[in-house]
Amino acid sequence: MDQKIAIRGTSCITGLGEGMDVWLDAIQKGKAIEPIIDADMFQTEINALQKGPYEMYRVQKITAITLLKALENARIKVTEGNAERVSILFGSSYEVERFKSEFFKTYRESEPELTSPSIFPYTSSSAISAALSILFGIKGTNITFSNGITSASEAIIAGRDLLVSKKTDVAVIIGTNFFCDDFDVELHTCGFQQECCAAIVLERADGIKPTKKNTYAKIEQLHHGFKENSGIRGWNGCTITNMENSFGQDLVVKDAREQPWKTVNSCVDLGSVFGNTFSASGVLGIILGGLLLEGNTVLKEHYGDVKPAEILFVNEDNYGNHTSVVMKK
Amino acid sequence: MKDKTIVITGMGAVTPLDMGKGVDVFWQKLCQGDNGLSSIRSIDVNGFECQIGGEIHGLERCLNGLVPDTCSRAVKLFALAVKQAKANAGIIDNIGKVGICCGSVLGCIDLEENYLEKAFFTDKKKDRQLLKGTPIQAIPSFAAEMFDFKGPNFSVNTACSSAGDAVILSANEIRNGRADIMVAGGVEIFSEFLFRGFSAIGALTKDGKVRPFDKNRTGLAVSEGAGVLVLEEKEHALARNAEVYCTLAGGSSTVDAYNLVRPHVEGQGLSKAITKAINSAGVQPQDIDYISAHGTGTYHNDLAETKAIKRAFGKQAKSVKITAIKSMIGHTMGASAVLGAISCVMAIKDNIIPPTINYKTPDAECDLNYVTGGFCAKKVNMGMVLAAGFGGQNSTLIFKEK
């Protein structure tokens, strides 16, 4: 990959508020974590964002705050002048199930002419990111990836391509993990523990001297495929894994030669830390990787003195779709 | 990185016109101006103004055991389209890294409908394994497993632009060296959920026909279908003696940032998508011979689309020939852009432009050069597909003669 991509900003929203280090600290100390994000925590910012007479749905509020915080962290302001050069790549698979369920119950119990139209537009997973474009006036590319656990990872790859081809100047990658009461059994079966919504802001790395303030980390290599992990042969460094089939267990990842190439007990398994974070995992792995690269003190207490020079993040769903990202400081 | 030329080497289509018999039948019936829409059979539409839709009958015969019965209908339609395309493109083992990108809006909604019915109205039981079968990603994953495609595998949702964006992203996979061949397209199934949704927002046709750009148009018809294109780098295709239909000359994706349901009233986002696509192809508006329009048959879409074409094409807007194939197959949502693309590819191949049917009364506000009253035999060097969806998502593809 001949064009390096810089991560200029991040945000991570959970039931504890803002910041992955806050989340990790709570996990490490065994604190109770509210599994559902209370959007009221950000009421002041939400009030400032709110447009029009209709209150935003909770999912909209939280994704809007996530995007806002990420842009602030990256010191990027969306204006008329740059709106077409900012893109949103969104990872979302189960975030609109609540709307689907509600709409189904509505029409199941009402006559044709009495079925309310207001919920239906939100039953497509693309609605949330489209609503963000409307709210922020962002007019670049806007694509939702409904790839289950690898959604946000696929969004990162697409964002990278847009940046390298100069079809955009800023790619905001957002990954979401929201709970729905109507699917509580199903979500818990898949390992859901707590809601989260996270974002990273990507730009081309060239032309800007990287500092701690303007560059969180850099993305060096990207790969994805189906049941054949041939893009990362011979890796012998720090790894973050997120394997939907093997949550919380030591595991062996095979490459195309059918040889085990790495055990993860010396690295970090995302699922064993946070549970199944579904479509947010692709972004969370990157943010966690950045904390490891800087030698974050919370992580030191939890994982020992790990400060790698580079990190491989592998994300794989239970169908066999996998993505891998190599990141450096 | 040297820019690679992306060509089309295969196609697959499953629509209410061909009933699963493939692209040749689909194309033949499009050119004949056949109507693939009919009285809805699969759901009870008593009490609804709209009684028509696009349903594929006899699918099980075409599938011939290809997909387990327990899979979603979306998985079945898409797998059938991929099977057709694989054969059409001559994809065999060890041909290189083959990937899939699938666009869809509601994906495996049939499984979710069944679940919600049982969970909340009949059995009152939940299904722990539900989420493993319902995400859109289940669709391309199943196809990858079935056809042993080990390349990139992902799914996108940009409403009715989904399949267009699937093609654009797939071309990027090849350009960036992550795949040798990509099978890109979309799928949508007819469901009560979809029908009730478009009925609730008042978008369905009220007179039993879909009349894109007609002054008396009353709305769209919900339909189902699947379509895929096989994309390949030109040198790779030539090296294996693949038949090359045409070149993917350009494409673009934009968002209106205006309204969640209606397009921008002046068609701003779509016109930008058109202009960007034309620029990316390195051509001029007058080089476009044919537009496969989004043309849903709703008042707002057709008007906004007309304005978008006029804004982007300027004086050339009234010269380019336009067809709205949704007049014949209805609105296949996540598959619509790729089915429009297939009509472009075939138009270039055969130098025939299919008609827009049910067009009777010209609308002063939609006054472009529609092909009506039968197909048009014309040299087609370059064709364009337009797609616009909820949330103001737009995609545009341009194909040119190889």
Side-chain angles (χ1 to χ4, degrees):
Chain A
M1 199 171 94
D2 49 11
Q3 168 67 66
K4 305 232 180 340
I5 302 298
I7 302 167
R8 300 286 186 216
T10 69
S11 69
C12 178
I13 307 293
T14 67
L16 292 165
E18 190 189 348
M20 180 181 273
D21 48 355
V22 171
W23 192 5
L24 286 167
D25 189 57
I27 292 169
Q28 197 258 330
K29 288 174 180 163
K31 285 186 191 171
I33 302 171
E34 175 55 52
I36 305 299
I37 299 170
D38 181 1
D40 289 346
M41 282 191 284
F42 306 99
Q43 200 53 55
T44 308
E45 290 108 319
I46 290 167
N47 288 343
L49 285 171
Q50 179 74 43
K51 280 181 186 170
Y54 302 106
E55 187 179 355
M56 287 190 276
Y57 291 109
R58 193 177 76 91
V59 166
Q60 285 178 284
K61 290 178 184 177
I62 295 166
T63 51
I65 289 299
T66 305
L67 174 55
L68 178 70
K69 298 284 182 194
L71 289 172
E72 284 175 349
N73 190 232
R75 292 180 171 76
I76 289 170
K77 195 170 167 51
V78 179
T79 64
E80 284 263 353
N82 69 4
E84 291 185 25
R85 303 297 298 171
V86 179
S87 297
I88 297 175
L89 293 310
F90 198 84
S92 168
S93 291
Y94 307 118
E95 277 54 52
V96 296
E97 301 319 287
R98 184 223 134 194
F99 296 109
K100 285 183 187 172
S101 174
E102 196 173 319
F103 183 67
F104 179 85
K105 291 175 193 171
T106 300
Y107 76 71
R108 179 67 171 71
E109 292 175 316
S110 66
E111 297 299 319
E113 65 275 15
L114 296 177
T115 305
S116 168
S118 59
I119 289 285
F120 179 65
Y122 291 94
T123 60
S124 167
S125 56
S126 59
I128 307 173
S129 66
L132 288 175
S133 271
I134 294 168
L135 193 62
F136 286 81
I138 291 173
K139 293 181 180 174
T141 296
N142 183 315
I143 299 180
T144 296
F145 293 83
S146 290
N147 245 60
I149 207 168
T150 56
S151 299
S153 298
E154 293 293 348
I156 290 170
I157 293 174
R160 174 262 170 202
D161 287 350
L162 284 172
L163 289 165
V164 167
S165 62
K166 300 194 176 162
K167 288 188 175 140
T168 202
D169 295 327
V170 177
V172 185
I173 316 297
I174 303 175
T176 54
N177 178 28
F178 289 103
F179 190 71
C180 171
D181 286 332
D182 286 347
F183 294 88
D184 56 345
V185 168
E186 296 77 4
L187 287 164
H188 282 124
T189 299
C190 292
F192 174 89
Q193 290 183 9
Q194 58 247 323
E195 286 189 332
C196 54
C197 188
I200 54 176
V201 179
L202 306 181
E203 286 182 295
R204 287 181 292 278
D206 53 359
I208 299 176
K209 190 178 170 187
T211 66
K212 201 169 175 181
K213 270 192 177 177
N214 71 22
T215 304
Y216 184 73
K218 284 196 204 141
I219 289 175
E220 299 266 310
Q221 292 180 55
L222 292 162
H223 175 77
H224 58 170
F226 184 75
K227 293 192 174 181
E228 187 176 272
N229 214 345
S230 56
I232 43 171
R233 285 180 186 171
W235 180 262
N236 197 29
C238 183
T239 309
I240 299 172
T241 57
N242 191 49
M243 306 296 196
E244 194 167 26
N245 274 335
S246 307
F247 262 76
Q249 302 166 26
D250 283 348
L251 57 89
V252 173
V253 177
K254 293 183 181 178
D255 74 1
R257 297 166 298 177
E258 296 295 312
Q259 295 295 317
W261 58 270
K262 191 68 182 167
T263 56
V264 300
N265 50 11
S266 59
C267 302
V268 179
D269 178 55
L270 202 72
S272 65
V273 178
F274 300 120
N276 191 346
T277 50
F278 295 90
S279 301
S281 62
V283 173
L284 294 179
I286 298 296
I287 295 176
L288 182 63
L291 292 177
L292 278 171
L293 287 170
E294 76 171 29
N296 180 271
T297 47
V298 172
L299 285 172
K300 260 191 195 170
E301 287 178 42
H302 199 60
Y303 293 105
D305 199 6
V306 177
K307 194 179 175 186
E310 56 185 5
I311 289 176
L312 169 68
F313 170 42
V314 179
N315 201 357
E316 182 170 311
D317 70 15
N318 59 7
Y319 296 116
N321 298 300
H322 63 80
T323 60
S324 52
V325 178
V326 174
M327 42 190 302
K328 283 183 176 174
K329 195 59 193 162
Chain B
M1 182 170 51
K2 189 183 162 192
D3 208 17
K4 296 177 182 175
T5 301
I6 308 294
V7 296
I8 309 301
T9 54
M11 294 173 281
V14 186
T15 77
L17 265 185
D18 54 87
M19 297 293 185
K21 294 191 179 80
V23 171
D24 288 343
V25 175
F26 172 60
W27 177 238
Q28 180 190 2
K29 287 182 179 278
L30 273 184
C31 294
Q32 285 170 185
D34 283 8
N35 187 357
L37 304 174
S38 57
S39 298
I40 293 167
R41 289 195 232 164
S42 60
I43 61 171
D44 181 2
V45 291
N46 254 331
F48 288 89
E49 264 189 296
C50 179
Q51 297 280 310
I52 65 155
E55 294 169 300
I56 298 168
H57 304 299
L59 181 64
E60 303 310 324
R61 259 195 325 271
C62 295
L63 284 170
N64 198 21
L66 181 70
V67 178
D69 222 35
T70 49
C71 286
S72 165
R73 188 175 172 82
V75 169
K76 294 172 184 174
L77 288 181
F78 192 74
L80 186 55
V82 173
K83 182 184 177 195
Q84 292 171 5
K86 181 173 182 267
N88 185 223
I91 295 175
I92 55 174
D93 289 346
N94 302 316
I95 204 172
K97 189 159 278 187
V98 184
I100 302 181
C101 180
C102 174
S104 186
V105 180
L106 292 176
C108 305
I109 191 65
D110 50 347
L111 298 184
E112 282 198 75
E113 279 183 312
N114 289 340
Y115 167 79
L116 289 167
E117 177 69 31
K118 285 180 184 168
F120 295 101
F121 292 95
T122 53
D123 297 354
K124 309 279 185 182
K125 272 187 200 163
K126 295 197 172 181
D127 177 2
R128 289 177 171 272
Q129 302 303 317
L130 173 80
L131 293 181
K132 293 191 176 166
T134 54
I136 296 175
Q137 186 51 26
I139 302 167
S141 296
F142 189 92
E145 181 78 53
M146 175 182 289
F147 299 109
D148 200 28
F149 292 166
K150 292 192 165 70
N153 188 300
F154 55 103
S155 49
V156 296
N157 182 350
T158 51
C160 305
S161 297
S162 296
D165 284 310
V167 172
I168 293 169
L169 291 169
S170 293
N172 289 343
E173 292 297 321
I174 297 171
R175 288 196 186 98
N176 285 282
R178 296 189 294 262
D180 298 305
I181 296 173
M182 287 293 294
V183 180
V187 63
E188 209 73 52
I189 55 176
F190 187 94
S191 64
E192 185 171 8
F193 193 101
L194 201 55
F195 182 84
R196 293 298 295 259
F198 277 92
S199 172
I201 63 172
L204 296 181
T205 178
K206 294 160 184 60
D207 70 351
K209 293 191 193 309
V210 176
R211 305 179 185 280
F213 307 109
D214 186 287
K215 186 176 180 184
N216 299 317
R217 61 191 185 274
T218 60
L220 60 89
V222 170
S223 184
E224 63 181 357
V228 294
L229 298 175
V230 178
L231 281 67
E232 197 165 350
E233 199 271 316
K234 187 175 184 178
E235 297 307 319
H236 189 272
L238 294 176
R240 69 179 185 93
N241 292 318
E243 180 180 358
V244 174
Y245 286 92
C246 63
T247 298
L248 176 64
S252 78
S253 181
T254 64
V255 66
D256 290 355
Y258 175 71
N259 185 277
L260 208 54
V261 179
R262 291 191 178 172
H264 189 279
V265 290
E266 297 299 319
Q268 261 183 20
L270 184 57
S271 77
K272 282 181 185 160
I274 294 170
T275 301
K276 282 185 177 179
I278 287 174
N279 291 341
S280 75
V283 300
Q284 299 295 322
Q286 58 264 33
D287 297 323
I288 307 292
D289 300 299
Y290 163 46
I291 296 178
S292 179
H294 190 57
T296 59
T298 63
Y299 174 78
H300 293 289
N301 172 81
D302 292 2
L303 180 59
E305 189 171 8
T306 299
K307 291 181 179 181
I309 294 170
K310 285 180 175 178
R311 183 193 300 269
F313 278 74
K315 288 179 194 167
Q316 308 300 325
K318 296 206 178 180
S319 306
V320 62
K321 294 209 179 287
I322 298 174
T323 292
I325 67 170
K326 288 182 182 69
S327 61
M328 294 178 270
I329 64 170
H331 197 344
T332 54
M333 314 291 162
S336 61
V338 70
L339 293 172
I342 290 172
S343 84
C344 264
V345 173
M346 293 305 290
I348 290 169
K349 175 180 177 283
D350 291 349
N351 295 311
I352 291 175
I353 299 174
T356 301
I357 67 171
N358 305 321
Y359 182 88
K360 282 189 181 160
T361 310
D363 181 348
E365 291 184 304
C366 296
D367 56 347
L368 299 179
N369 189 1
Y370 312 112
V371 175
T372 61
F375 66 82
C376 171
K378 179 191 185 313
K379 178 73 180 141
V380 180
N381 291 311
M382 207 167 278
M384 173 183 278
V385 186
L386 302 182
F390 274 1
Q393 317 251 212
N394 308 295
S395 67
T396 302
L397 301 171
I398 296 178
F399 299 92
K400 73 175 183 188
E401 200 179 26
K402 56 188 173 185

